[in-house]
Amino acid sequence: MCVCVFAVALDIEKCDLQCQENNTEHYTEENGVDRLIVRRGRPFSVLLHLRQGSHAQPGTNVTLSVETGPMPCRESGTKATFDVGSAVDESCWSATMSVLTDDIVCLTISSPADAPIGKYKLLMGHINGTSLGEFVMLFNPWCSRDAVYMENEEEREEYVLAQDGIIYRGVPPRFKELAWTFGQFEPGILDICLRILDENPKFVHDAKQDCAARADPVYVTRVLSAMINCSDDRGVLMGCWSDDYSFGVKPSYWTGSEDILRQWNYTNCLPVRYGQCWVFAAVNCTVSRALGIPCRVITNYDSAHDCNCNLLMEYIYNEDNKEIGDDSIWNYHCWVESWMTRPDLKEGFGGWQASDPTPQEQSEGVFCCGPVPLSAIKNGELTMKYDAPFVYAEVNADVVVYVTKKTGEKRKVLENTKEVGHHISTKAVGKDERLDITNLYKYPEGSEEERMVFEKAKHHNKLAQKSEEPEVQIKIKIAKSTMIGTDFQVFVVVKNNSPTTKTFLLLCYARVQHYNGTIGEKCGFAGVPDLKIDPSQSTATPLTVEYSKYGPTITDDRMIKVKAILMDSETRKFYKEVKTIVLDTPPITIKIAGIPKVNQKLTADIALQNPLPVPLQDCIFTVNGVRLTAGQSIVQKIGTVNPKEYAATKVEFAPTAPGKKKLVVAFDSAKLSNISAFETIVITD
Ligand SMILES: *[C@@H]1O[C@H](CO)[C@@H](O)[C@H](O)[C@H]1NC(C)=O
Ligand SMILES: *[C@@H]1O[C@H](CO)[C@@H](O)[C@H](O)[C@H]1NC(C)=O
Ligand SMILES: *[C@@H]1O[C@H](CO)[C@@H](O)[C@H](O)[C@H]1NC(C)=O
Ligand SMILES: *[C@@H]1O[C@H](CO)[C@@H](O)[C@H](O)[C@H]1NC(C)=O
Ligand SMILES: *[C@@H]1O[C@H](CO)[C@@H](O)[C@H](O)[C@H]1NC(C)=O
Ligand SMILES: *[C@@H]1O[C@H](CO)[C@@H](O)[C@H](O)[C@H]1NC(C)=O
Ligand SMILES: CC(=O)N[C@H]1CO[C@H](CO)[C@@H](O)[C@@H]1O
């Protein structure tokens, strides 16, 4: 039949996939041009070189097929067979042919914008056709018919093509930037990302169905979320929220996704130890960008972790100020947003979708969260797929503090609608600046709309409670400099809003706090038994936090939690305020010398001053950058550095591609680690 007709008519010597040209046209050349990588919904052209004497004739009937996955089948969209015609049809697989010379024929092949992504075979003929070659198909944010279409070119450059970025941590207004190397186009990374899809339990269980579902970015996104926690499957990362990082490295060790993905692949899919929220989010962002889904890492400060899945965060204390409640608010939390339409939901929910890759709760039986449309979170539409209540709580939960008396009586002492979810941050498009996107998640705090939305959400969640304005206010104010290694002061400001003079008992504590919310030993204390305050007046009580006390137990988070408890001596009413301080760290200085040109050697002079009153042991600098350090980190061991002295080193590297690149430097030592910095270098050709 056709196979024979063509076989007689077209005797192919070789097929040229024109990877260089096609990959460039499809924005995939950064992956390399040694194989064909195309984006769906856009044609690509291959050249057939014919054996001498077998002339191509116009009108020759040629049939092509494409297939993906181990069990390709037409019904599920993982196989297509189509005749070469006179025009391409954008809605389905189609092709045209033009005769270039006597022995070269050009085939232009067009794929539908909803084709499954993954590895494909291109064949000529119906059944058991001749192989013309293989290619990889990705999502296409450049194609208006694709579900991940993103209109703006600068946004596509940031959210799909940018191989490095910034993740925000710290505590507002002292945001701490962490430069991150996503490296989605570095050699081998795309294959590892495709392998993640193939290791997913849904694929193992039913490969045919899974490969077909890869047409849908919502599905792929959900698979990625689930794959990132290894308790369900052969996930990429293992989480660790304690200080015991034995058999692995601290989450703060990582400055890029590449090393993590390579290690996972190299160990045949053993979860890499260890990650915390920003690492989970960043790796997920790498995989999403590699597959063509626009993605960004975002940070929410004072993130709520709502254990009961109600919308109030409950802190419960006993009278000795021991926290006995379960719910915790993380200092900050990172997740990812990906960009896509939501044909599975009612209209108006396309755009950014939040998904939280950090393992927390079970959703539909596996550990993952999202994707949830931001517009659903903002409007309190908690019935929305997937996991809307959880993400809603992360940005919107109200905080309620209870004190449980010895008698067992539980008393609400404070309700604060401002504590959770603010300064939601991500890197701005095209520049190294923080973009505040809180308005995408919620109406302004305290606004009419916000309360209405919260009430609506509570209604969805069958939960209600409300209380009055406090007549006494407490604020905790922090000194300008809180450099690690120094002693510093904190002030507890109490204001009496009532019409009468009041006397209080004030207790303030400073304690080392861990990222997981666990509170350590006291490192500062101040108590005032008879604090008298006149109406409309306020007082400021100082509390000194000493290095000698916090130094021995401070963790890599460098967080200290200050709590003030106030009791009205007359009414015996409690008031409370809590604030987390993230200590400052010394800067890493990076000085680049040399001419920033491709293949020319540059040197970076790197230094950090020891801020501690004790020597720093085992000092190490780790340096990396996309297309700067040859795909791997440069590690420089420095040894011991005395107080006030500098840990300093010089590294050499040769850029391999032009453009704006980030050189990321991380510092680690026994007593001081988790410090990083970056320098942007513009490399010319
Ligand atoms: C090519 O296909 C068309 C339509 O299927 C058919 O009419 C025609 O006879 C075929 N030509 C050859 C050379 O087989
Ligand atoms: C991933 O692992 C496979 C199997 O061990 C290996 O063949 C491949 O080269 C690895 N890929 C990378 C990029 O290291
Ligand atoms: C990973 O990224 C995708 C695409 O951006 C996202 O939608 C998905 O939910 C994320 N999964 C995780 C684990 O975050
Ligand atoms: C939290 O961190 C502390 C200090 O590192 C550790 O002792 C504790 O086990 C951790 N808690 C959890 C729940 O991981
Ligand atoms: C996966 O998530 C669950 C639920 O929070 C958690 O208990 C488990 O430790 C996580 N697994 C890993 C290895 O991170
Ligand atoms: C590292 O430091 C940042 C603040 O600069 C903090 O937010 C983060 O939690 C720390 N990471 C670890 C693992 O301690
Ligand atoms: C549609 C498309 O992008 N095809 C390109 C593939 O490479 C050939 C060879 O250079 C180009 O001519 C096509 O434009």
Side-chain angles (χ1 to χ4, degrees):
M1 306 190 348
C2 273
V3 182
C4 311
V5 170
F6 114 76
V8 172
L10 295 183
D11 186 3
I12 297 164
E13 190 181 343
K14 68 169 188 170
C15 173
D16 175 2
L17 296 175
Q18 303 198 96
C19 303
Q20 171 88 50
E21 296 84 358
N22 283 310
N23 288 9
T24 306
E25 291 271 335
H26 287 249
Y27 304 96
T28 62
E29 79 275 20
E30 292 272 339
N31 282 300
V33 292
D34 52 337
R35 64 172 161 167
L36 183 59
I37 303 170
V38 296
R39 296 185 188 274
R40 60 189 197 173
R42 182 185 182 105
F44 57 96
S45 316
V46 303
L47 298 184
L48 302 181
H49 292 253
L50 308 181
R51 266 189 241 287
Q52 271 192 338
S54 79
H55 295 292
Q57 281 146 21
T60 308
N61 282 345
V62 176
T63 302
L64 297 174
S65 20
V66 289
E67 44 185 63
T68 182
M71 280 174 271
C73 93
R74 201 164 320 182
E75 293 69 41
S76 64
T78 49
K79 179 184 169 95
T81 304
F82 47 99
D83 292 331
V84 174
S86 52
V88 294
D89 176 353
E90 286 185 335
S91 68
C92 59
W93 283 97
S94 62
T96 58
M97 184 168 85
S98 56
V99 176
L100 297 188
T101 66
D102 264 2
D103 50 8
I104 300 180
V105 173
C106 176
L107 289 177
T108 299
I109 302 167
S110 170
S111 60
D114 59 356
I117 59 150
K119 286 185 182 159
Y120 276 80
K121 287 196 184 94
L122 174 63
L123 307 155
M124 191 166 260
H126 278 287
I127 305 149
N128 301 330
T130 322
S131 171
L132 294 181
E134 295 188 351
F135 61 94
V136 177
M137 172 81 80
L138 303 178
F139 290 111
N140 192 353
W142 284 264
C143 171
S144 61
R145 288 165 290 117
D146 194 308
V148 301
Y149 174 60
M150 187 164 236
E151 203 176 347
N152 183 292
E153 175 58 22
E154 274 109 57
E155 290 187 1
R156 288 188 298 242
E157 272 170 23
E158 182 69 47
Y159 300 133
V160 185
L161 298 181
Q163 294 213 72
D164 48 39
I166 294 174
I167 299 173
Y168 292 91
R169 300 184 300 175
V171 172
R174 298 177 196 207
F175 299 96
K176 302 260 154 102
E177 295 180 334
L178 172 69
W180 192 269
T181 304
F182 292 111
Q184 69 271 28
F185 303 126
E186 292 296 273
I189 297 297
L190 176 60
D191 289 287
I192 298 175
C193 296
L194 292 170
R195 185 173 182 185
I196 291 177
L197 295 183
D198 285 349
E199 292 293 335
N200 115 65
K202 288 184 173 150
F203 175 84
V204 176
H205 177 71
D206 183 351
K208 199 158 126 186
Q209 173 121 39
D210 178 76
C211 288
R214 291 181 191 179
D216 178 7
V218 176
Y219 176 85
V220 171
T221 289
R222 222 161 151 69
V223 162
L224 294 184
S225 304
M227 270 311 285
I228 300 285
N229 178 6
C230 68
S231 62
D232 286 307
D233 18 69
R234 312 216 297 162
V236 178
L237 269 170
M238 189 178 287
C240 182
W241 283 268
S242 74
D243 257 354
D244 181 7
Y245 302 119
S246 34
F247 309 110
V249 301
K250 299 174 191 172
S252 61
Y253 169 87
W254 310 109
T255 52
S257 307
E258 266 179 275
D259 291 346
I260 296 171
L261 290 168
R262 284 190 210 285
Q263 186 177 327
W264 175 80
N265 183 65
Y266 178 77
T267 59
N268 210 5
C269 314
L270 288 180
V272 176
R273 297 159 198 245
Y274 291 100
Q276 278 176 9
C277 66
W278 73 92
V279 190
F280 283 95
V283 171
N284 194 62
C285 184
T286 295
V287 180
S288 299
R289 288 185 185 181
L291 300 178
I293 303 174
C295 189
R296 62 187 183 186
V297 175
I298 73 126
T299 303
N300 178 30
Y301 289 93
D302 286 328
S303 203
H305 185 194
D306 186 342
C307 304
N308 311 322
C309 240
N310 66 33
L311 292 180
L312 297 174
M313 306 296 304
E314 298 184 349
Y315 285 103
I316 304 172
Y317 297 88
N318 64 17
E319 270 183 306
D320 305 325
N321 187 31
K322 257 194 95 168
E323 216 167 303
I324 52 179
D326 260 332
D327 280 8
S328 58
I329 295 188
W330 295 354
N331 179 45
Y332 68 89
H333 186 56
C334 299
W335 58 76
V336 294
E337 288 175 2
S338 35
W339 179 267
M340 62 191 75
T341 58
R342 291 301 297 264
D344 57 328
L345 303 178
K346 66 179 178 189
E347 236 173 272
F349 290 111
W352 288 114
Q353 314 284 321
S355 12
D356 187 350
T358 308
Q360 299 182 25
E361 310 279 325
Q362 280 203 28
S363 149
E364 286 190 355
V366 291
F367 293 117
C368 64
C369 183
V372 194
L374 266 50
S375 46
I377 299 168
K378 183 163 176 173
N379 292 298
E381 303 260 1
L382 301 196
T383 51
M384 214 46 75
K385 286 199 280 194
Y386 290 88
D387 313 307
F390 198 84
V391 178
Y392 185 86
E394 287 186 317
V395 291
N396 284 304
D398 275 11
V399 175
V400 181
V401 179
Y402 290 98
V403 168
T404 307
K405 300 253 180 106
K406 292 218 169 68
T407 59
E409 185 200 347
K410 195 165 122 180
R411 246 172 102 175
K412 179 150 62 161
V413 295
L414 184 76
E415 189 172 76
N416 181 352
T417 61
K418 295 218 161 49
E419 190 162 345
V420 183
H422 54 85
H423 295 103
I424 301 176
S425 303
T426 191
K427 178 184 174 299
V429 172
K431 49 190 176 197
D432 292 338
E433 281 171 20
R434 192 181 67 88
L435 176 69
D436 194 303
I437 54 165
T438 312
N439 66 331
L440 296 184
Y441 280 86
K442 57 205 294 192
Y443 291 101
E445 296 279 1
S447 72
E448 196 71 7
E449 285 97 336
E450 193 227 2
R451 294 320 304 167
M452 268 165 56
V453 168
F454 187 72
E455 291 307 318
K456 181 160 143 201
K458 275 207 293 209
H459 180 72
H460 281 305
N461 253 33
K462 307 233 182 316
L463 205 263
Q465 244 153 1
K466 194 84 194 91
S467 88
E468 65 294 341
E469 187 89 20
E471 56 179 9
V472 173
Q473 280 174 322
I474 315 181
K475 272 196 182 141
I476 295 173
K477 298 206 160 157
I478 299 163
K480 278 220 171 60
S481 165
T482 57
M483 178 63 74
I484 185 152
T486 63
D487 300 347
F488 58 90
Q489 278 193 326
V490 170
F491 292 90
V492 178
V493 179
V494 179
K495 181 150 191 260
N496 178 4
N497 291 328
S498 80
T500 55
T501 299
K502 283 183 174 290
T503 309
F504 301 98
L505 162 68
L506 173 66
L507 299 175
C508 338
Y509 305 86
R511 285 172 160 181
V512 168
Q513 185 193 351
H514 191 265
Y515 173 85
N516 68 15
T518 314
I519 307 295
E521 286 305 301
K522 242 183 264 168
C523 56
F525 173 75
V528 187
D530 297 299
L531 184 68
K532 206 174 234 150
I533 312 178
D534 290 334
S536 309
Q537 295 302 301
S538 57
T539 60
T541 305
L543 167 67
T544 303
V545 185
E546 292 169 50
Y547 176 73
S548 62
K549 302 227 174 81
Y550 70 76
T553 54
I554 194 99
T555 68
D556 286 344
D557 297 290
R558 290 182 283 274
M559 288 195 284
I560 290 176
K561 193 169 196 165
V562 180
K563 290 192 190 183
I565 300 199
L566 191 68
M567 191 184 72
D568 186 321
S569 309
E570 197 185 334
T571 63
R572 308 196 71 78
K573 216 171 154 179
F574 282 97
Y575 302 90
K576 178 171 197 88
E577 177 67 351
V578 180
K579 187 155 195 159
T580 301
I581 306 171
V582 177
L583 299 183
D584 293 331
T585 51
I588 298 177
T589 55
I590 307 169
K591 286 206 190 85
I592 308 287
I595 299 156
K597 279 186 91 155
V598 172
N599 295 327
Q600 286 225 15
K601 212 185 276 171
L602 291 178
T603 56
D605 275 303
I606 297 168
L608 170 140
Q609 189 177 25
N610 177 6
L612 304 186
V614 295
L616 284 179
Q617 271 141 1
D618 304 324
C619 298
I620 298 176
F621 283 109
T622 312
V623 182
N624 77 47
V626 171
R627 309 283 149 101
L628 292 179
T629 56
Q632 61 189 43
S633 298
I634 303 171
V635 178
Q636 298 270 308
K637 297 195 173 163
I638 314 290
T640 301
V641 174
N642 287 321
K644 304 283 168 257
E645 284 182 5
Y646 284 85
T649 190
K650 197 189 274 286
V651 295
E652 289 188 338
F653 57 96
T656 52
K660 210 162 131 187
K661 312 282 173 210
K662 282 192 177 66
L663 188 74
V664 183
V665 178
F667 176 80
D668 188 58
S669 72
K671 282 214 172 69
L672 185 65
S673 66
N674 184 23
I675 300 180
S676 77
F678 67 91
E679 182 70 23
T680 304
I681 313 173
V682 180
I683 312 293
T684 55
D685 252 321

